[in-house]
Amino acid sequence: MTADRTPTPADSPTPVPTRWVGPLRISGNAANGETHVPLATYESPLWPSVARGARLSRLVADGITVTLVDDRMTRSVLLRTTDAEGAHTAARNIHARMEELRALTRESSRYAELLAVRHEITGPLLFVRFEFATGDAAGHNMATLAADRLLNHLLTRLPDITYGSVSGNYCTDKKATAINGILGRGKNATAELLIPQPLVARHLHTTSRRIAQLNVDKNLIGTLLAGGIRSANAHYANMLLAFYLATGQDAANIVEGSQGITYAADRGGDLYFSCTLPNLIVGTVGNGKTLPTVEEALTRLACREARPAGHNARRLAALAAATVLCGELSLMAAQTNPGELMRAHTHLERRNGAHHVH
Amino acid sequence: MTADRTPTPADSPTPVPTRWVGPLRISGNAANGETHVPLATYESPLWPSVARGARLSRLVADGITVTLVDDRMTRSVLLRTTDAEGAHTAARNIHARMEELRALTRESSRYAELLAVRHEITGPLLFVRFEFATGDAAGHNMATLAADRLLNHLLTRLPDITYGSVSGNYCTDKKATAINGILGRGKNATAELLIPQPLVARHLHTTSRRIAQLNVDKNLIGTLLAGGIRSANAHYANMLLAFYLATGQDAANIVEGSQGITYAADRGGDLYFSCTLPNLIVGTVGNGKTLPTVEEALTRLACREARPAGHNARRLAALAAATVLCGELSLMAAQTNPGELMRAHTHLERRNGAHHVH
Amino acid sequence: MTADRTPTPADSPTPVPTRWVGPLRISGNAANGETHVPLATYESPLWPSVARGARLSRLVADGITVTLVDDRMTRSVLLRTTDAEGAHTAARNIHARMEELRALTRESSRYAELLAVRHEITGPLLFVRFEFATGDAAGHNMATLAADRLLNHLLTRLPDITYGSVSGNYCTDKKATAINGILGRGKNATAELLIPQPLVARHLHTTSRRIAQLNVDKNLIGTLLAGGIRSANAHYANMLLAFYLATGQDAANIVEGSQGITYAADRGGDLYFSCTLPNLIVGTVGNGKTLPTVEEALTRLACREARPAGHNARRLAALAAATVLCGELSLMAAQTNPGELMRAHTHLERRNGAHHVH
Amino acid sequence: MTADRTPTPADSPTPVPTRWVGPLRISGNAANGETHVPLATYESPLWPSVARGARLSRLVADGITVTLVDDRMTRSVLLRTTDAEGAHTAARNIHARMEELRALTRESSRYAELLAVRHEITGPLLFVRFEFATGDAAGHNMATLAADRLLNHLLTRLPDITYGSVSGNYCTDKKATAINGILGRGKNATAELLIPQPLVARHLHTTSRRIAQLNVDKNLIGTLLAGGIRSANAHYANMLLAFYLATGQDAANIVEGSQGITYAADRGGDLYFSCTLPNLIVGTVGNGKTLPTVEEALTRLACREARPAGHNARRLAALAAATVLCGELSLMAAQTNPGELMRAHTHLERRNGAHHVH
């Protein structure tokens, strides 16, 4: 497979405007301290939006608390049989071979570990979903390589089973589905901030009650009416795209990454605000991470430290979640006030020399 | 709202590796001829994957046919009342004011036109979804600006109605929902290629029948089992991200953009292969389009020509859809063959100097 | 098509236990006054649950207000072409023939009226969704008959179009989808009750705040996490099944009927509680309505009166929505109190002679 | 909680017209032999539709093969904490207590067994989903009773955890969601029939190829476009409703029961046709099963035999799945032929004395 392209001057990289915003103050089981975060985006209003959230984080003792509750990468393979009985027999056979499959996984990479196997049968089709630990890599390739090896092994061991696909879309990669949130894929993190009432008034120009109500009416009910799936937020995709690009991630994973839930509550005037992101697919090694700009960004984020396997990537996920909270909080506050959003955009783009809104 | 950031050397742009792949041969109601397309991505295997599809397009008389069947941008506002009767009365009032709202929209921008208004009532909440034509702009800002004006107008005209939000998530922007496909948002395009049987064998190393079967088992059933919503494809998100970044689009719109449907059929040995993308949010003017690299890319793609309003953007959408088809076809073909995928990835990344798969 | 069955004594009807509960007090644009409602169910705890809500309705001046905001029945046909361009041409042709299609619809039944036509293209497939007014019938047959006629007409008028199916599942009948809520199918009704704080305490043993919070955490977030689609309620299906069976409806329509949204708010201690049901498929004539028990039930509900076409069915929909509210309110209140649910069930089943919980 | 109702003559049961259709020939791991099945419905065309499928089952050696691959009942509780860290700590605590929870479950009923526990965290909310074996009962009450006991136990053992709800809608009962198919709820059964080409022609008046194509275009793509969730079939809800009513089931469970997938393939002219139903909630003991008509029906279906716990209910699930296949096959065949559907309905209703289609 060779790319039949004529090299041209335009093969130079696409420079995406980037700013380091913050610092964010952060605490929790995966990252602690203060850090600026890089945001690569064509949408310049994103920077001050995240910056406003960051400022609030520094006004609260523990800042944004991020709790990381799960970490795994998946790949599903598709097998074909003649009927459901054949699929059922094969599934039992596969589960009986867990030790064998674990050993094979370890051989495929020194960082890969098989955590669990689940399956589903539909007529003569058998979908097998492998869940892996993948160290500090996001794990797309590691999971695919391992799954490929497991698949080949199973094809030679199971009678009456034929190859369907190394990916059966039951993984699920870069699609918005329910399975990733329910079974887990990527890092599952919740970012939280408890903002005293006076700070809500002074910095967000609103009240806890109005934000909590907007979250119910817009993020929960509005998204639900639109036919959304396992998602309720204002604009996680914006922050994730910018953070992913600046840190060398496969930003197509914002599709599932942006499925997450904003929860806001009026706690006696204070604002409890949280963003739960069950599917953060990030790594600190792998594709894209050796580019100098990316490497520099990861280093500055303290995500290239000597730590146990996986801990750098978890820190990165925590920073991503905290960044999402900053931008989400800022936009939600703005939308409680008629007119603020457009004023901010128009002002900002003018300040940044962008075209006027047209 | 000021960004409290300390300028640092790292505020330089993030350079995303980019190649021009092709040329693709394309025909249809929005673009014709041959053109290379730029793909900005950290995932280098994407380039030869799209290139393989492009090569096939040049071996067929009309190449990839793209049919654009719809074009609109939306914004929903959220209004609150005391009860459903109030919401019902307000909704009727709004529909009765269509001419008034159309005139207001035209005042907000010379390119904006109000095409339709739909609404939904839930308890005391009223979601109003405005659909606009936005010329060659993707239209986020134009639609928001117009919606803001319409909203303010309605708030002063409708009794017992209070402000909820300038966006009620019923739009829906950068979220995977059903509404955008059903009611329309962005450009709706289908890219199709009819590949004679000998070319399927020689260039894709597979058969029409195997691709059609894989499409049913993986893209349709696999995605469905995973709990997907209005989407059935292998990896639209990858091509869209790379194309959007290289052409200055707001790439967070790949979230809904990647919701699309691959349809494959064995037509007497020949392969009918199509990608329907109902939600392509692209523009040739607006945010990000004035950056020199982007401007150069759009110019080279012949999307900055003197054409009637909207035609440059439609051409760009057609190129995006054709690019998606190239990459989708290539991956689907590869997945019909055990082992091909990993061989391709491993080979490619080595060739591109990327880390080995780990 | 003949049923090859041997008649047996068991061919006697299945008697489903039924009670008339209430009366409910109701107001709004489709029904007013007090009425008992019949509930046919094997689940006897449903009766006192709805009865508790009914009692509350009688303690509030206007009782439950039901606002009916839409009324239509749909059928989608599936057409096949060779490519998207063919489908696009056909779609435009169909929309240009609206007057012709309206006339044909009127010929198919004196109650049928074609309200709107929408379509969607996917590759070579064209889905055309017809929306009808169907008088007092739920309209399954009237819509199918009309669609069949329209389909045959189009097949002879449109070149290069072939028959796909008289139903393309884009209607959508008896499946939980997003389209019915977004585009409308059946009667769309919101039932609301504003309960003064003292009544909340005395009759529901809870507070407005606790119910509102439970609605967010359970109905909205719990359902969302479970991967639900356009639905957020505790148990609409229970009330609808019992009401549909007792009134001769096609109770398989509870599948989409149960997709609805409960909205609860603490209004200064008082409880605003509403149930929005966008897809009530009910009729007062047609299949099942001539059985004596059913006819008697409909008569007693005052749904066989001399009224303009459609008004009896709308009254029935309003009663269904009010009944749903009664049961939903009662269960939600119960679930705010640990242990109440099980006590109620165990007590009730014992009282009704059912098996103890086992 | 007392029902404030005035007893009336109308409190007599609602008699739902019922016929025993068949016999169906069936084989597999849960039921074998030939049996008629009862269908209680107001929609009389259902009887000959299922009868046609049943006739085909008798013309094939093994008839319809049903493979039951899973069996469990679920209930999720909702717990509240102050933040995600608290929820995470509680979740780990719960998983560490599995033995304790298993013992408590056994105490709650001699048939209940705790199979697994899963959880999900969203902000300060903790959803815990218990999976139980429930013997021959469908298990709603058994699962609720056990969950209530487990919940009370946990509330006294876990610090900083407060009661949310005995059901957090993450179960999920009588709602169409993705979780039940992915994690399992009820009995998961696939019914399959391989029909030789001549029988397809003679009895279904169609071809395997046409049915397979219709299944892709209508059931898979049509449902997907409509915004369906984890479901692809023509009308499972119809058969399930009639079967559930006649056998005393809680028929509101057709909401999730009707989420299933039809898979059809042209195997060299022969038709492979299957219906996968992952969420059959049926029992042979419990609510409704002691009514004489129901008891007689269950006895006649040989589902009240002396068998190991759970085996009667599994047999019933197998019969339900086979019945669904009969009706689904018949309608799908009919829809491949323009006009057949309406002819069948009109003829049938006339024969059954129902109103003509209007």
Side-chain angles (χ1 to χ4, degrees):
Chain A
M1 193 158 45
T2 312
D4 46 346
R5 57 184 204 78
T6 327
T8 75
D11 261 5
S12 53
T14 300
V16 183
T18 301
R19 286 209 188 156
W20 285 76
V21 172
L24 284 67
R25 184 176 294 171
I26 190 169
S27 63
N29 66 358
N32 284 275
E34 294 200 359
T35 179
H36 284 77
V37 293
L39 297 172
T41 180
Y42 296 124
E43 311 301 314
S44 46
L46 186 64
W47 296 322
S49 177
V50 171
R52 178 158 76 157
R55 194 180 321 130
L56 272 160
S57 78
R58 299 193 304 270
L59 298 172
V60 172
D62 290 333
I64 298 165
T65 306
V66 181
T67 307
L68 201 143
V69 304
D70 197 43
D71 184 3
R72 63 193 63 230
M73 189 58 178
T74 63
R75 176 59 72 189
S76 77
V77 299
L78 167 61
L79 300 169
R80 294 201 185 98
T81 59
T82 49
D83 52 32
E85 195 201 345
H88 189 37
T89 304
R92 281 180 303 193
N93 198 325
I94 291 169
H95 289 289
R97 289 169 184 273
M98 275 302 287
E99 282 319 306
E100 198 175 307
L101 301 180
R102 276 205 188 90
L104 271 166
T105 301
R106 280 189 297 268
E107 285 170 28
S108 76
S109 156
R110 66 183 176 116
Y111 292 110
E113 187 191 343
L114 182 62
L115 301 174
V117 176
R118 291 192 72 99
H119 76 276
E120 185 162 351
I121 293 166
T122 294
L125 305 179
L126 173 60
F127 295 83
V128 182
R129 189 178 190 269
F130 300 113
E131 307 178 3
F132 302 103
T134 59
D136 282 312
H140 298 87
N141 287 341
M142 205 188 294
T144 304
L145 193 65
D148 193 51
R149 187 179 281 234
L150 298 177
L151 175 57
N152 286 328
H153 180 77
L154 293 173
L155 286 170
T156 59
R157 294 301 184 289
L158 304 184
D160 308 321
I161 289 288
T162 60
Y163 171 84
S165 177
V166 68
S167 164
N169 275 24
Y170 193 73
C171 314
T172 301
D173 192 42
K174 300 166 185 169
K175 289 123 201 154
T177 66
I179 201 169
N180 288 341
I182 291 169
L183 291 181
R185 186 166 188 269
K187 288 152 183 67
N188 184 329
T190 294
E192 298 169 297
L193 188 60
L194 186 62
I195 315 171
Q197 187 272 331
L199 297 183
V200 174
R202 191 173 329 132
H203 293 274
L204 299 173
H205 316 300
T206 189
T207 65
S208 303
R209 186 187 168 83
R210 284 163 67 196
I211 286 192
Q213 193 60 51
L214 182 65
N215 190 51
V216 170
D217 294 352
K218 167 198 169 79
N219 283 345
L220 287 167
I221 294 181
T223 309
L224 178 157
L225 290 177
I229 186 80
R230 265 194 69 97
S231 196
N233 63 72
H235 71 139
Y236 287 9
N238 283 332
M239 283 73 77
L240 283 181
L241 174 70
F243 188 91
Y244 279 14
L245 286 178
T247 59
Q249 308 305 315
D250 187 344
N253 282 120
I254 65 167
V255 175
E256 66 267 54
S258 62
Q259 289 180 282
I261 297 170
T262 295
Y263 193 86
D266 173 359
R267 293 192 176 166
D270 299 342
L271 174 64
Y272 168 84
F273 193 85
S274 72
C275 298
T276 299
L277 296 122
N279 305 119
L280 291 168
I281 315 275
V282 296
T284 56
V285 296
N287 275 359
K289 311 305 179 300
T290 52
L291 297 168
T293 319
V294 168
E295 200 151 28
E296 190 186 321
L298 291 171
T299 302
R300 193 171 163 198
L301 290 168
C303 288
R304 300 287 280 236
E305 314 282 298
R307 290 198 180 97
H311 283 227
N312 276 320
R314 284 174 200 169
R315 173 178 169 81
L316 191 65
L319 299 183
T323 303
V324 165
L325 182 142
C326 290
E328 180 78 357
L329 172 63
S330 194
L331 182 65
M332 288 295 286
Q335 292 199 358
T336 62
N337 297 316
E340 180 177 330
L341 193 67
M342 283 314 301
R343 279 196 303 276
H345 267 250
T346 314
H347 170 70
L348 213 281
E349 280 161 8
R350 211 170 288 133
R351 230 173 43 104
N352 286 290
H355 268 173
H356 61 283
V357 179
H358 56 127
Chain B
M1 192 159 45
T2 313
D4 46 345
R5 55 183 206 78
T6 326
T8 75
D11 260 4
S12 52
T14 302
V16 182
T18 301
R19 286 210 186 155
W20 284 77
V21 172
L24 284 67
R25 184 176 295 172
I26 189 168
S27 62
N29 66 357
N32 283 275
E34 294 201 359
T35 179
H36 284 78
V37 293
L39 297 171
T41 180
Y42 296 125
E43 310 301 313
S44 46
L46 186 65
W47 297 321
S49 178
V50 172
R52 179 158 76 156
R55 194 180 321 130
L56 272 161
S57 77
R58 299 193 305 270
L59 298 171
V60 172
D62 290 334
I64 298 165
T65 304
V66 181
T67 306
L68 201 142
V69 303
D70 197 43
D71 184 5
R72 64 192 64 230
M73 190 57 177
T74 63
R75 177 58 72 190
S76 77
V77 298
L78 168 61
L79 300 169
R80 294 201 185 97
T81 58
T82 49
D83 51 34
E85 194 200 344
H88 190 37
T89 302
R92 280 180 304 193
N93 197 325
I94 291 170
H95 289 289
R97 290 170 183 273
M98 275 302 288
E99 281 320 305
E100 195 175 310
L101 301 180
R102 275 204 188 93
L104 271 167
T105 301
R106 278 190 298 267
E107 286 171 28
S108 76
S109 156
R110 65 181 176 118
Y111 292 110
E113 187 191 343
L114 181 62
L115 301 175
V117 175
R118 291 192 72 98
H119 75 276
E120 185 163 351
I121 293 166
T122 294
L125 305 180
L126 173 60
F127 295 83
V128 181
R129 189 180 190 266
F130 300 113
E131 307 179 4
F132 303 102
T134 60
D136 281 312
H140 298 87
N141 286 342
M142 204 188 294
T144 304
L145 193 64
D148 194 50
R149 186 178 282 234
L150 298 177
L151 175 57
N152 285 329
H153 180 77
L154 293 172
L155 287 170
T156 60
R157 295 302 184 288
L158 305 183
D160 307 322
I161 289 288
T162 60
Y163 171 83
S165 177
V166 68
S167 164
N169 274 25
Y170 194 72
C171 317
T172 300
D173 192 43
K174 300 167 184 168
K175 290 121 199 156
T177 66
I179 202 170
N180 289 339
I182 289 169
L183 291 182
R185 186 165 188 270
K187 289 152 182 67
N188 183 329
T190 295
E192 298 169 297
L193 188 60
L194 186 63
I195 315 170
Q197 185 273 330
L199 298 183
V200 174
R202 191 173 329 132
H203 293 275
L204 298 174
H205 317 301
T206 188
T207 66
S208 304
R209 187 188 167 82
R210 284 162 67 194
I211 286 191
Q213 193 61 51
L214 182 64
N215 191 50
V216 170
D217 295 352
K218 166 198 171 79
N219 284 345
L220 287 167
I221 295 181
T223 309
L224 177 157
L225 290 177
I229 186 80
R230 265 194 69 98
S231 196
N233 64 71
H235 71 140
Y236 288 9
N238 284 331
M239 282 74 75
L240 283 181
L241 174 70
F243 188 92
Y244 279 14
L245 286 178
T247 60
Q249 309 304 316
D250 186 343
N253 282 120
I254 66 167
V255 174
E256 66 267 55
S258 63
Q259 288 180 283
I261 297 170
T262 295
Y263 193 85
D266 173 0
R267 293 192 176 166
D270 299 343
L271 174 64
Y272 167 84
F273 193 86
S274 73
C275 298
T276 298
L277 296 123
N279 305 118
L280 291 168
I281 315 274
V282 296
T284 56
V285 295
N287 274 0
K289 311 306 181 297
T290 52
L291 297 167
T293 320
V294 167
E295 201 151 28
E296 189 186 320
L298 290 171
T299 302
R300 194 171 163 198
L301 290 169
C303 288
R304 299 289 278 237
E305 313 283 298
R307 291 199 178 96
H311 284 228
N312 276 321
R314 285 175 199 167
R315 173 178 168 81
L316 192 65
L319 299 183
T323 303
V324 165
L325 182 142
C326 290
E328 180 78 358
L329 173 63
S330 195
L331 183 66
M332 287 295 286
Q335 292 199 0
T336 63
N337 297 315
E340 181 179 328
L341 194 68
M342 283 315 299
R343 279 195 304 276
H345 267 251
T346 315
H347 170 69
L348 214 280
E349 281 161 7
R350 213 170 284 134
R351 229 174 44 104
N352 286 290
H355 268 174
H356 60 282
V357 179
H358 54 124
Chain C
M1 193 157 46
T2 312
D4 46 345
R5 55 185 204 78
T6 325
T8 77
D11 261 4
S12 53
T14 301
V16 182
T18 302
R19 286 211 187 155
W20 285 77
V21 172
L24 284 68
R25 183 175 297 170
I26 189 169
S27 63
N29 65 357
N32 283 276
E34 294 202 358
T35 179
H36 284 79
V37 293
L39 297 171
T41 180
Y42 296 124
E43 310 300 316
S44 47
L46 186 65
W47 298 321
S49 177
V50 171
R52 177 159 74 156
R55 194 180 321 130
L56 271 161
S57 77
R58 299 193 304 272
L59 298 171
V60 172
D62 290 332
I64 298 166
T65 305
V66 180
T67 306
L68 201 142
V69 303
D70 196 43
D71 184 3
R72 64 193 63 229
M73 190 57 177
T74 63
R75 177 57 73 189
S76 77
V77 298
L78 168 62
L79 300 169
R80 293 200 185 99
T81 58
T82 48
D83 51 33
E85 194 200 345
H88 190 36
T89 303
R92 281 179 304 192
N93 198 326
I94 291 169
H95 289 290
R97 289 168 184 275
M98 275 301 288
E99 282 320 306
E100 196 176 310
L101 301 180
R102 275 203 189 93
L104 271 167
T105 300
R106 281 189 297 266
E107 285 170 28
S108 75
S109 156
R110 67 183 175 115
Y111 292 110
E113 187 191 341
L114 181 62
L115 301 174
V117 176
R118 291 193 71 100
H119 76 276
E120 186 162 350
I121 293 166
T122 295
L125 306 178
L126 173 60
F127 295 83
V128 181
R129 190 177 189 268
F130 300 114
E131 307 179 5
F132 303 102
T134 60
D136 281 313
H140 299 86
N141 287 342
M142 204 188 293
T144 304
L145 194 64
D148 195 49
R149 187 179 280 235
L150 298 177
L151 175 58
N152 285 329
H153 180 76
L154 292 174
L155 287 170
T156 60
R157 294 302 183 287
L158 305 184
D160 307 323
I161 289 287
T162 61
Y163 171 84
S165 177
V166 69
S167 164
N169 274 25
Y170 193 73
C171 316
T172 300
D173 192 43
K174 298 164 186 172
K175 290 123 201 154
T177 65
I179 201 169
N180 288 340
I182 290 169
L183 291 182
R185 186 166 188 269
K187 290 152 182 67
N188 184 329
T190 295
E192 298 168 296
L193 189 59
L194 185 63
I195 315 169
Q197 187 272 332
L199 298 182
V200 175
R202 190 173 331 129
H203 293 273
L204 298 173
H205 316 300
T206 187
T207 66
S208 303
R209 185 187 169 83
R210 283 162 68 196
I211 286 193
Q213 192 62 51
L214 183 64
N215 190 50
V216 170
D217 294 352
K218 167 198 170 77
N219 284 345
L220 287 167
I221 294 181
T223 309
L224 178 157
L225 290 177
I229 186 80
R230 266 196 67 98
S231 197
N233 63 73
H235 72 137
Y236 288 9
N238 284 331
M239 283 73 76
L240 283 181
L241 175 70
F243 188 91
Y244 279 13
L245 286 178
T247 60
Q249 310 304 315
D250 186 346
N253 283 120
I254 65 167
V255 175
E256 67 266 55
S258 63
Q259 288 181 282
I261 296 170
T262 295
Y263 192 85
D266 173 0
R267 293 192 177 166
D270 299 343
L271 174 64
Y272 168 84
F273 193 85
S274 73
C275 298
T276 298
L277 295 122
N279 306 119
L280 291 169
I281 316 274
V282 297
T284 57
V285 296
N287 275 0
K289 313 305 179 300
T290 53
L291 297 167
T293 320
V294 167
E295 201 151 28
E296 190 187 320
L298 290 171
T299 302
R300 194 172 164 198
L301 291 169
C303 289
R304 299 287 279 236
E305 313 283 299
R307 290 200 179 95
H311 284 226
N312 276 321
R314 284 175 200 169
R315 173 178 168 83
L316 192 65
L319 300 183
T323 304
V324 165
L325 183 142
C326 290
E328 180 78 358
L329 172 63
S330 196
L331 183 65
M332 287 295 287
Q335 291 199 0
T336 61
N337 297 315
E340 179 178 329
L341 192 69
M342 282 315 299
R343 278 195 304 275
H345 267 249
T346 315
H347 169 70
L348 213 280
E349 281 161 9
R350 212 171 285 134
R351 231 174 42 105
N352 285 291
H355 268 173
H356 60 282
V357 179
H358 55 123
Chain D
M1 192 158 43
T2 312
D4 47 345
R5 56 186 203 77
T6 326
T8 76
D11 261 5
S12 54
T14 301
V16 183
T18 303
R19 287 212 186 153
W20 284 77
V21 172
L24 284 68
R25 184 176 295 171
I26 190 169
S27 63
N29 65 358
N32 284 275
E34 294 201 357
T35 180
H36 284 78
V37 293
L39 296 171
T41 181
Y42 297 124
E43 311 300 315
S44 47
L46 186 65
W47 296 321
S49 177
V50 171
R52 177 158 77 156
R55 194 181 321 130
L56 271 162
S57 79
R58 299 193 303 271
L59 298 171
V60 171
D62 289 334
I64 298 164
T65 305
V66 181
T67 306
L68 201 143
V69 304
D70 197 43
D71 185 4
R72 64 192 63 230
M73 190 58 178
T74 62
R75 177 58 73 191
S76 77
V77 298
L78 167 62
L79 300 168
R80 294 202 185 99
T81 58
T82 48
D83 51 33
E85 195 200 346
H88 189 37
T89 303
R92 280 180 303 193
N93 197 327
I94 291 169
H95 290 288
R97 289 168 184 274
M98 275 301 288
E99 281 320 306
E100 197 175 308
L101 302 180
R102 276 204 189 91
L104 271 167
T105 300
R106 279 190 298 267
E107 284 171 28
S108 75
S109 156
R110 66 181 175 116
Y111 292 110
E113 186 191 343
L114 181 62
L115 301 175
V117 176
R118 292 192 71 99
H119 76 276
E120 184 162 351
I121 293 165
T122 293
L125 305 179
L126 173 60
F127 295 84
V128 181
R129 191 178 188 266
F130 299 113
E131 308 178 5
F132 302 102
T134 60
D136 281 312
H140 300 86
N141 287 341
M142 204 187 293
T144 304
L145 193 65
D148 194 51
R149 186 178 281 233
L150 298 177
L151 175 57
N152 286 328
H153 180 77
L154 293 173
L155 286 171
T156 59
R157 294 302 184 288
L158 305 184
D160 307 322
I161 290 287
T162 61
Y163 171 84
S165 177
V166 70
S167 165
N169 275 24
Y170 194 72
C171 315
T172 301
D173 192 42
K174 300 166 185 170
K175 290 123 199 155
T177 66
I179 201 169
N180 288 340
I182 290 169
L183 292 182
R185 186 165 188 271
K187 290 155 182 63
N188 184 329
T190 295
E192 297 168 297
L193 189 59
L194 186 62
I195 314 169
Q197 185 273 329
L199 298 182
V200 174
R202 190 172 331 132
H203 293 274
L204 298 173
H205 316 301
T206 189
T207 65
S208 304
R209 186 187 168 84
R210 284 163 67 196
I211 287 192
Q213 192 62 50
L214 182 64
N215 190 52
V216 169
D217 294 352
K218 168 199 169 78
N219 284 346
L220 287 167
I221 294 180
T223 310
L224 177 158
L225 290 177
I229 186 81
R230 264 195 68 99
S231 196
N233 63 73
H235 71 139
Y236 288 9
N238 284 332
M239 284 73 77
L240 283 181
L241 174 69
F243 188 91
Y244 279 14
L245 286 178
T247 60
Q249 309 305 316
D250 187 345
N253 283 120
I254 65 167
V255 175
E256 67 267 55
S258 63
Q259 289 181 283
I261 296 170
T262 295
Y263 193 85
D266 173 0
R267 292 192 177 167
D270 299 343
L271 175 64
Y272 167 85
F273 193 86
S274 72
C275 298
T276 298
L277 295 122
N279 304 119
L280 291 169
I281 315 275
V282 296
T284 57
V285 296
N287 274 0
K289 314 304 181 300
T290 53
L291 297 167
T293 320
V294 167
E295 199 151 30
E296 191 187 319
L298 290 171
T299 303
R300 193 171 164 199
L301 291 169
C303 289
R304 299 287 281 236
E305 312 284 298
R307 291 198 178 97
H311 284 226
N312 276 322
R314 284 175 200 168
R315 174 179 169 80
L316 192 66
L319 299 182
T323 303
V324 165
L325 182 142
C326 289
E328 179 79 356
L329 173 63
S330 195
L331 182 65
M332 286 295 287
Q335 291 199 359
T336 61
N337 297 316
E340 180 178 328
L341 192 69
M342 282 315 299
R343 280 194 303 276
H345 267 250
T346 315
H347 170 70
L348 213 280
E349 281 161 8
R350 210 170 288 135
R351 231 174 41 104
N352 286 291
H355 270 173
H356 61 283
V357 178
H358 54 123

